[in-house]
Amino acid sequence: MAQAATVKAAVKDVPFVWEGKDKRGNKVSGKSLAANEQALRADLRRQGVVPVKVKKQSKSLGGGKKVTPADIAVFFRQLATMMTAGIPLVQAFEIIGAGHENPAVQKLILDIKAQIEGGSTLHEALKKHPLHFDDLSVNLVEAGEQAGALETLLDKVATYKEKTEAIKKKIKKALFYPCWSSR
């Protein structure tokens, strides 16, 4: 019995893209999570949709979307705001992760949340993702944790990231300007 529960827990929902017809004969389409194609087809039929085409969504998260530095800046801003409002850290991660449109960012945030739930500190969890969190950010978060001023330092990291992104945009814009004017 315990093995059956373990096997069931190991089955993950897979993203599917589907097309079908509703009760009125109108074309409908969407994206859904299901254990397999048969389960999705049965679920669609229960909703009054006759599935015409069902296929697994590509493995790349969000159709090739990546975690951008702008996503990280927004993440730090949202986390700082929630911590200032008194929302517990794990709950803040759940809210931010569930509310993000980019599946790659969702996966990153929920992975960090799982590490924190497993006993890691926030800076240790961030340090495990060096592609997304630089040493300065990780060290500032660590200092905030040790000083008991995490909200303040998260706010400062968010401001730093936002300003850095704004400067990068200005530099890119300045670099492209001569290309257009020389034509």
Side-chain angles (χ1 to χ4, degrees):
M1 244 335 174
Q3 284 181 331
T6 308
V7 170
K8 249 186 183 174
V11 174
K12 299 252 182 183
D13 285 341
V14 179
F16 285 93
V17 179
W18 56 268
E19 292 178 10
K21 295 192 179 216
D22 65 7
K23 292 175 184 174
R24 296 181 189 160
N26 298 327
K27 271 189 167 182
V28 290
S29 63
K31 296 178 185 178
S32 299
L33 292 175
N36 56 42
E37 186 177 334
Q38 291 79 17
L40 178 61
R41 286 181 180 274
D43 189 42
L44 289 172
R45 281 191 295 274
R46 277 192 295 276
Q47 295 174 25
V49 175
V50 178
V52 176
K53 191 192 298 184
V54 175
K55 71 176 195 176
K56 281 186 183 179
Q57 196 170 2
S58 64
K59 285 285 185 191
S60 66
L61 290 173
K65 288 187 181 178
K66 296 180 181 178
V67 179
T68 65
D71 291 329
I72 299 300
V74 170
F75 161 72
F76 274 118
R77 176 61 60 208
Q78 290 173 328
L79 190 59
T81 303
M82 290 192 185
M83 294 288 295
T84 303
I87 296 173
L89 190 62
V90 173
Q91 189 177 356
F93 273 99
E94 287 176 10
I95 294 167
I96 295 168
H100 211 288
E101 298 162 359
N102 184 345
V105 176
Q106 282 183 344
K107 183 181 180 316
L108 174 67
I109 291 170
L110 295 177
D111 184 44
I112 293 168
K113 176 190 151 238
Q115 291 172 15
I116 290 170
E117 287 177 324
S120 294
T121 61
L122 179 56
H123 83 273
E124 290 170 343
L126 296 178
K127 192 181 260 186
K128 291 181 181 174
H129 301 279
L131 292 174
H132 308 298
F133 302 102
D134 60 354
D135 289 338
L136 177 62
S137 301
V138 172
N139 291 335
L140 284 172
V141 168
E142 181 179 14
E145 287 173 330
Q146 291 178 356
L150 185 58
E151 302 88 15
T152 307
L153 276 156
L154 283 172
D155 187 57
K156 292 198 182 305
V157 171
T159 302
Y160 161 73
K161 291 283 187 189
E162 289 164 353
K163 286 182 178 180
T164 303
E165 284 308 300
I167 290 170
K168 282 182 185 177
K169 282 183 182 178
K170 285 182 181 179
I171 291 171
K172 284 181 182 177
K173 191 175 180 181
L175 289 173
F176 280 114
Y177 177 74
C179 294
W180 292 105
S181 64
S182 64
R183 290 184 178 176

